[in-house]
Amino acid sequence: MSDGAPEVTSGGMGGTTGSGAALPEPALELDCRGLPCPRPVIELARHLGDVAPGEVLAVVAEDPAARADVPAWARMRAQEYLGEDVAVDGVARYLVRRRD
Amino acid sequence: MQDQTDPAPASTPASTPASAPVLLDAAAGRPLHPAALEVLDAALARGWADPRALHRAGRDARLLLENAREVVAGSLGVRRDEVRFTSPVDAVQRGLLGLARARLDAGARDLVLAPVEHAHVRHAASWWAQVHGGSVHEAPVGRDGRVDLDALERLARAPGTAAVALQLANHEIGTTQPVGAVALPESVDLFVDGSASLGLLDLPREGWAAAAGHATSWGGPGGVGVLLVRHGARWLNPFPGDPGPQDAGGALPDAPLALAAAAALRGTLAERAGVDARRRRLVDRIRATAATLPDVDLVGDPDDRLPHLLTFSCLYLPGDALVRELDRHGFAVASGSACTASTLEPSHVLAAVGALTHGNVRVSLAPEVTDDDVERLCHVLPDVVARLRAEVGL
């Protein structure tokens, strides 16, 4: 597989967060807009270590597979999937709390 | 498509591809069963006419069609007058929506189904609900894909429910549904989608009013569908044409292909006990191998399933890369991952059961697949997954 997709950029804290009512603010948000499946999940795995246990990592992704695959990744990797809200531009944002 | 030269890397010396790829995508299509090939030439020569015509050629075509109907009825355990030949999609649409049509005048416009039903069923239901101002209600499924029977029955009892659709077994994950155990109110009937499973699993004798089958699942011609409408069922043609099931398909069935489908069904059932016991064992073998791989999500019920089918998803891997890599090693597999779909949407079945949708591999064994083929796959698979994972860097 060639991998010509753009590199993910790590957004700062709360950089593009939206109106997630009950969901906590992430410590780190990954901007995976425009990245094809399964890149958003790969970025999630790569950057899990960038947040401390108990902190929340978010990924913003247009890839429709992310809706199923972020929760499935969390289940398989024993992390806590918190749910989904939207970034300010309306793109879906998925939140995971690091367990280990 | 990859070329046919030997691509086996030094790390997998036993992975030399056979001259023909091993067919592990039989659920999507397979060569005609030999019994179908055997009758097809003669049937084409004799059954080309309009089976309604009164002349001799018409009578010949009619005879073939009646023969085909008789064989299919006997094979599936239904009455001859309950069998119609049409296209596979039409069989699904007409089967389900005919039950809904029969309840429309009573004001029932809603349809109940499982979220893992084939797209043909879901699209038909959505279309019907949209046209008639009804709704589609989905009963939840568990992680194994089996429907919550209580929830399904509760939805069926709602006053607006016209009909319920449930598949005999899932085309992507293999899980069977308890189609013989659905308790419905007197006014609501069950449509069973057997498109992925007739010839592989038995339809229950009772408890359903209409059903659909696809000859591909038993080695018949891919264009042949079978619509079953029980004798005396409350069923009305939902599409333009005569109200009764005799107009099924809206067009004339192809008598030679129907006969070939019937011959394939009879042949498949005659061999089923031995072939399917072996395929169950081989699928178990592949499942056990996949289970040893890190970060692999095994999907579907391990036991109550189609005999020849297994699905699993490999974390971090694109499904299309897995398909191409296995093809290079001489194995034809399918994938429900978004990157392999024209829509770029992931499989709704995988999503509905909470499975990982990327890195998906669906293996469905053709009857001819041997122990050696499967051993070779089990030898190659860990290396393929490890190599692609290394490319990802995870």
Side-chain angles (χ1 to χ4, degrees):
Chain A
M1 286 300 292
S2 70
D3 193 358
E7 257 312 297
V8 67
T9 56
S10 302
M13 294 176 64
T16 54
T17 53
S19 55
L23 293 171
E25 274 306 303
L28 177 64
E29 180 177 293
L30 307 172
D31 179 7
C32 292
R33 290 177 182 83
L35 290 188
C37 162
R39 284 292 302 281
V41 172
I42 290 173
E43 296 308 327
L44 207 48
R46 282 182 179 152
H47 292 278
L48 183 67
D50 296 352
V51 301
E55 285 188 333
V56 175
L57 178 62
V59 57
V60 180
E62 287 151 325
D63 165 28
R67 181 158 288 118
D69 287 354
V70 174
W73 170 84
R75 168 175 57 76
M76 292 172 72
R77 300 300 302 170
Q79 304 301 315
E80 185 187 359
Y81 177 66
L82 298 175
E84 128 181 32
D85 60 8
V86 288
V88 284
D89 59 354
V91 176
R93 185 176 76 158
Y94 308 93
L95 292 96
V96 173
R97 189 189 306 280
R98 182 178 164 191
R99 276 216 182 115
D100 53 300
Chain B
M1 281 288 99
Q2 302 293 322
D3 60 31
Q4 293 300 306
T5 55
D6 184 352
S11 61
T12 56
S15 66
T16 310
S19 49
V22 179
L23 182 49
L24 303 178
D25 190 18
R30 49 186 263 220
L32 279 179
H33 190 283
L37 281 176
E38 206 171 288
V39 303
L40 193 55
D41 275 351
L44 285 168
R46 204 181 153 198
W48 46 268
D50 180 339
R52 292 172 306 192
L54 298 180
H55 48 64
R56 193 170 67 190
R59 283 198 305 276
D60 279 353
R62 196 155 61 245
L63 191 68
L64 293 196
L65 205 52
E66 285 308 312
N67 248 339
R69 189 173 284 172
E70 175 119 33
V71 168
V72 168
S75 299
L76 298 180
V78 299
R79 291 164 52 128
R80 205 173 57 154
D81 63 356
E82 295 173 334
V83 176
R84 299 281 177 257
F85 295 101
T86 177
S87 79
V89 184
D90 187 76
V92 166
Q93 295 174 340
R94 221 168 269 270
L96 170 59
L97 300 183
L99 299 180
R101 175 64 189 85
R103 293 267 296 138
L104 190 61
D105 296 342
R109 298 160 203 285
D110 299 345
L111 294 168
V112 172
L113 41 84
V116 294
E117 295 300 309
H118 193 280
H120 293 153
V121 171
R122 300 172 84 228
H123 290 160
S126 305
W127 177 79
W128 185 261
Q130 196 180 351
V131 166
H132 296 285
S135 311
V136 178
H137 301 291
E138 291 186 340
V141 292
R143 286 264 299 126
D144 58 3
R146 191 153 293 112
V147 73
D148 178 338
L149 199 51
D150 287 342
L152 185 82
E153 292 171 348
R154 207 173 318 120
L155 289 169
R157 287 194 296 271
T161 300
V164 175
L166 199 56
Q167 59 198 181
L168 193 54
N170 188 268
H171 51 292
E172 287 187 50
I173 67 174
T175 299
T176 58
Q177 298 290 0
V179 294
V182 186
L184 295 177
E186 195 282 327
S187 59
V188 177
D189 287 319
L190 179 68
F191 166 76
V192 174
D193 179 16
S195 301
S197 51
L198 292 191
L200 297 156
L201 301 173
D202 291 326
L203 267 175
R205 291 265 161 188
E206 304 291 337
W208 53 275
H214 186 328
T216 290
S217 74
W218 65 75
V224 176
V226 170
L227 168 62
L228 307 176
V229 177
R230 295 323 286 265
H231 183 73
R234 293 169 294 199
W235 186 97
L236 288 174
N237 179 7
F239 300 139
D242 287 338
Q246 63 273 15
D247 197 35
L252 288 171
D254 186 313
L257 289 186
L259 193 70
L265 179 58
R266 185 158 60 186
T268 290
L269 291 177
E271 300 152 1
R272 186 170 78 172
V275 168
D276 286 359
R278 195 182 78 246
R279 292 200 286 187
R280 281 189 180 279
R281 179 169 56 72
L282 294 177
V283 166
D284 287 341
R285 169 83 179 94
I286 302 169
R287 192 179 181 95
T289 297
T292 64
L293 304 178
D295 293 322
V296 165
D297 200 16
L298 288 163
V299 191
D301 191 307
D303 302 312
D304 292 328
R305 57 166 171 83
L306 288 171
H308 67 320
L309 190 143
L310 169 69
T311 296
F312 56 92
S313 299
C314 306
L315 199 54
Y316 309 131
L317 300 187
D320 56 349
L322 279 161
V323 171
R324 285 198 197 94
E325 196 59 18
L326 288 170
D327 184 55
R328 233 165 52 81
H329 283 87
F331 299 99
V333 303
S335 173
S337 294
C339 52
T340 65
S342 53
T343 56
L344 292 180
E345 289 284 335
S347 148
H348 74 272
V349 174
L350 296 176
V353 302
L356 192 70
T357 73
H358 69 247
N360 180 252
V361 173
R362 183 188 71 176
V363 163
S364 53
L365 279 61
E368 303 76 23
V369 171
T370 65
D371 286 46
D372 283 351
D373 294 332
V374 167
E375 283 312 309
R376 203 158 57 77
L377 174 72
C378 290
H379 180 81
V380 161
L381 187 62
D383 289 339
V384 165
V385 170
R387 188 143 26 92
L388 291 173
R389 283 250 173 82
E391 286 178 22
V392 174
L394 284 167

